[in-house]
Amino acid sequence: MEELFYQTYTIALPIILTALMGYIVWLLKNQKKDRDANSKGAMLLLRVQLIEYHTKYMMLQEIPSYAYENFCEMYDAYHALGGNGMITKMKREIDELHLKKKG
């Protein structure tokens, strides 16, 4: 009887552990998908706000210090999330606008 229990144990344990590991991998993949979706959504929201700031302050031809700081912080977060391209060009234009106001 004890031998039967031992044989069952040695066969069932690897199967159970394999299933458990598969489940853990599945959970981790789903969490990564959720994180990626959240990051993408945050990046897109930041892009919209950065474009609005750029449009507004380029039309005004000046940017207040608080708005410039907000723009820079949003840009840093946007860039950290993997965003780049046209927003980098807009950042340079906002930097020039801020420097022009100071000068």
Side-chain angles (χ1 to χ4, degrees):
M1 177 75 169
E2 192 174 305
E3 187 176 316
L4 178 64
F5 177 73
Y6 180 75
Q7 286 178 346
T8 305
Y9 179 77
T10 57
I11 292 170
L13 185 63
I15 294 170
I16 292 170
L17 288 176
T18 301
L20 182 62
M21 291 301 291
Y23 179 69
I24 291 170
V25 168
W26 177 80
L27 282 176
L28 290 173
K29 283 183 181 180
N30 281 342
Q31 285 178 349
K32 183 179 181 331
K33 285 180 194 174
D34 290 345
R35 272 193 320 272
D36 290 348
N38 286 336
S39 294
K40 179 83 171 177
M43 186 176 69
L44 293 173
L45 290 172
L46 284 167
R47 182 185 324 182
V48 167
Q49 190 65 46
L50 287 164
I51 291 169
E52 287 179 9
Y53 264 56
H54 178 268
T55 302
K56 176 181 179 179
Y57 293 114
M58 291 307 289
M59 285 176 47
L60 293 173
Q61 289 297 302
E62 64 178 335
I63 184 167
S65 291
Y66 73 89
Y68 179 73
E69 287 179 27
N70 287 344
F71 189 92
C72 290
E73 287 181 20
M74 285 188 293
Y75 175 79
D76 291 342
Y78 175 80
H79 192 70
L81 289 169
N84 54 22
M86 70 175 185
I87 301 297
T88 300
K89 180 181 179 287
M90 290 179 178
K91 169 79 164 80
R92 280 190 229 116
E93 291 173 356
I94 290 289
D95 286 342
E96 289 173 14
L97 190 63
H98 182 67
L99 290 173
K100 186 172 101 176
K101 184 184 178 213
K102 280 189 165 187

